[in-house]
Amino acid sequence: MAGKFGGGSVWFLVDGYDVLTAKAKQLALKVTSKTEATAGLGDTWDAHTPIGRSMVTLTQGGAYFDTTATTGLHAGFSGSVPSSAQASTRVICVGFGGNTIGAPFFGMEGAFSSEYEVLAEQDGLTKANVGYSITGQRDQGAIVQELEAKTSDWNTKTGGEQLDSSTVPQRVYAITSNSQANPTVVTCASPHGLTTGDAVLISGVSGSSPDINGEQTVTVIDTTTFSVAVNTSAGTGGTGGSFVKITTQNGAVGYQQVTAFSGFSGFIGKIQDSADDVSYADLVTFADVTSGPDAERVEVSGQVDRYLSFDGNVTGTGSITVLAGLCRL
Amino acid sequence: MRLRAKNGISYPVGDALALVRQHGGLTKVPKGAKVPYKRVEAGGFCDDLPEESIALLLQRGDIEIVDEAPKAAPKTRKGA
């Protein structure tokens, strides 16, 4: 059944460590809107007003406290609670919808493992819990390279696994109508969040002549309306429908997690994009990896096209296990 | 005139390009069909880019047109 996932679809990588190898029992990712109490004298009910800032918290509980596993929880996090103002952040990626190309995932701009708790219980194995303080935003995107082992250069294009952003699980924006005009003006049921130059894939609009369904580049008018280069002045406006974003102008964030690395002297991963689904150009280039576990977050600006792929280039002989994803901003 | 990559690019040529065109794009090629892609690093020439991609890549700044016509030979004085 689409849209429903169980524990088997969860994956959780921190700085290249696959935390689930330590058999974590629980993972909670929460976004909270910070508010200020705004009730005053004479009010009989509480009042809270958002201040425009959100906070992300991430907790992971019940993993086994294994001091021998080199890729487990304890190897990565023992002694990791930062005690210095100069402490560096961790790169976290987590997904609840499976580890496949196109599946959604969340990345964190910066995270500190602020709590590391070891629990010893009678009649039970010793377990470890970790709490993370997230600094900055939570990025939301799609996997472009699923976590798997490779032994030579590869790219997801040759393997037929490039990604069409229109198929990525994302918010679907409802359209109320489009006008009889040149160019036609599309009115949305809620703020569309678009930037002029973005491309959208419209579907389900009925009655518009000419038809506006399909890929369209938008010109923003205000927060709930935009125009597309279709002349309906001699025809009719339409009603209903929806759109998803497929090309955006505000840059993106690429994430790469390397959970295993042996033999190679180097590895460079790149995320590419394409507007025509024929030729692809480098969009995100990650730093040369020479050992694992490893993780990196790279932010890029400008236009991000509809079609995405991943290139992996190794030096020497060996094996590498890597995951990569892209989040549009 | 020649085309030179300003950014790393990848594109199909020959039979691979014919297959991509036949299906209207790489994502529409049936899974299981191997479609080799040629890679050109920034600074390399890419004169065999698919025609349909040239305008888009020029607009994005991923490639540039360069004049690589051979320079005229320098004049020399005879009998010197």
Side-chain angles (χ1 to χ4, degrees):
Chain A
M1 188 181 299
K4 292 183 172 54
F5 302 96
S9 299
V10 177
W11 56 271
F12 183 32
L13 305 175
V14 182
D15 282 357
Y17 286 94
D18 184 351
V19 177
L20 298 190
T21 59
K23 304 300 181 185
K25 297 295 184 291
Q26 182 190 52
L27 187 62
L29 176 64
K30 181 167 71 173
V31 180
T32 307
S33 171
K34 306 207 79 174
T35 61
E36 177 181 343
T38 48
L41 292 174
D43 292 338
T44 56
W45 292 94
D46 258 350
H48 297 270
T49 301
I51 64 172
R53 202 161 66 222
S54 299
M55 182 174 69
V56 182
T57 55
L58 180 64
T59 54
Q60 163 254 305
Y64 291 125
F65 180 66
D66 185 348
T67 59
T68 61
T70 57
T71 56
L73 181 69
H74 183 67
F77 302 115
S78 59
S80 68
V81 175
S83 58
S84 163
Q86 283 74 47
S88 55
T89 58
R90 297 181 171 277
V91 179
I92 294 180
C93 298
V94 58
F96 300 96
N99 169 30
T100 56
I101 291 175
F105 84 101
F106 299 99
M108 313 301 149
E109 179 178 358
F112 297 100
S113 46
S114 56
E115 294 179 333
Y116 183 53
E117 177 185 34
V118 177
L119 294 172
E121 298 174 290
Q122 185 179 1
D123 298 329
L125 294 172
T126 302
K127 300 182 181 63
N129 303 322
V130 185
Y132 303 90
S133 296
I134 309 301
T135 292
Q137 65 192 36
R138 180 197 67 174
D139 300 317
Q140 186 169 351
I143 296 173
V144 295
Q145 169 60 52
E146 60 196 42
L147 185 69
E148 61 181 358
K150 300 288 187 183
T151 57
S152 61
D153 288 353
W154 82 95
N155 71 77
T156 57
K157 294 180 288 299
T158 298
E161 295 181 304
Q162 64 290 336
L163 181 61
D164 180 347
S165 295
S166 71
T167 65
V168 170
Q170 59 176 297
R171 180 176 172 182
V172 178
Y173 295 82
I175 293 173
T176 303
S177 63
N178 69 287
S179 66
Q180 182 183 10
N182 183 26
T184 187
V185 175
V186 178
T187 301
C188 303
S190 59
H192 50 63
L194 293 166
T195 302
T196 293
D198 285 352
V200 297
L201 188 65
I202 297 175
S203 62
V205 174
S206 60
S208 177
S209 177
D211 186 14
I212 67 167
N213 291 307
E215 183 172 340
Q216 303 286 358
T217 300
V218 311
T219 299
V220 172
I221 299 172
D222 59 35
T223 57
T224 57
T225 63
F226 59 88
S227 65
V228 298
V230 177
N231 181 1
T232 56
S233 59
T236 55
T239 57
S242 61
F243 73 85
V244 293
K245 299 179 183 179
I246 55 177
T247 294
T248 51
Q249 306 300 315
N250 298 321
V253 178
Y255 285 84
Q256 180 176 277
Q257 298 265 359
V258 175
T259 61
F261 185 98
S262 67
F264 292 130
S265 58
F267 165 74
I268 295 179
K270 297 173 188 272
I271 297 175
Q272 292 190 313
D273 69 342
S274 170
D276 64 1
D277 198 20
V278 177
S279 300
Y280 286 68
D282 292 350
L283 176 67
V284 177
T285 299
F286 297 100
D288 192 6
V289 176
T290 57
S291 65
D294 183 86
E296 188 178 5
R297 178 185 185 272
V298 176
E299 191 166 329
V300 296
S301 60
Q303 182 169 316
V304 180
D305 285 324
R306 173 175 177 175
Y307 302 97
L308 303 170
S309 71
F310 184 82
D311 272 30
N313 299 283
V314 298
T315 303
T317 57
S319 177
I320 184 171
T321 304
V322 61
L323 173 142
L326 188 80
C327 309
R328 294 174 185 267
L329 297 175
Chain B
M1 289 197 305
R2 303 192 67 181
L3 297 174
R4 183 162 60 198
K6 296 175 66 180
N7 188 15
I9 56 174
S10 303
Y11 54 92
V13 295
D15 290 344
L17 176 58
L19 189 64
V20 170
R21 283 174 170 165
Q22 176 190 346
H23 289 88
L26 180 62
T27 55
K28 299 178 180 65
V29 174
K31 285 206 183 301
K34 296 295 184 184
V35 187
Y37 260 60
K38 175 180 178 178
R39 179 167 175 88
V40 176
E41 299 294 343
F45 289 104
C46 48
D47 302 317
D48 53 353
L49 259 176
E51 278 187 27
E52 58 265 50
S53 301
I54 293 175
L56 282 168
L57 291 173
L58 281 170
Q59 181 187 24
R60 287 286 306 272
D62 291 318
I63 63 171
E64 60 182 352
I65 297 174
V66 295
D67 183 359
E68 287 291 316
K71 290 183 170 60
K75 292 182 180 176
T76 56
R77 195 186 307 176
K78 288 184 178 176

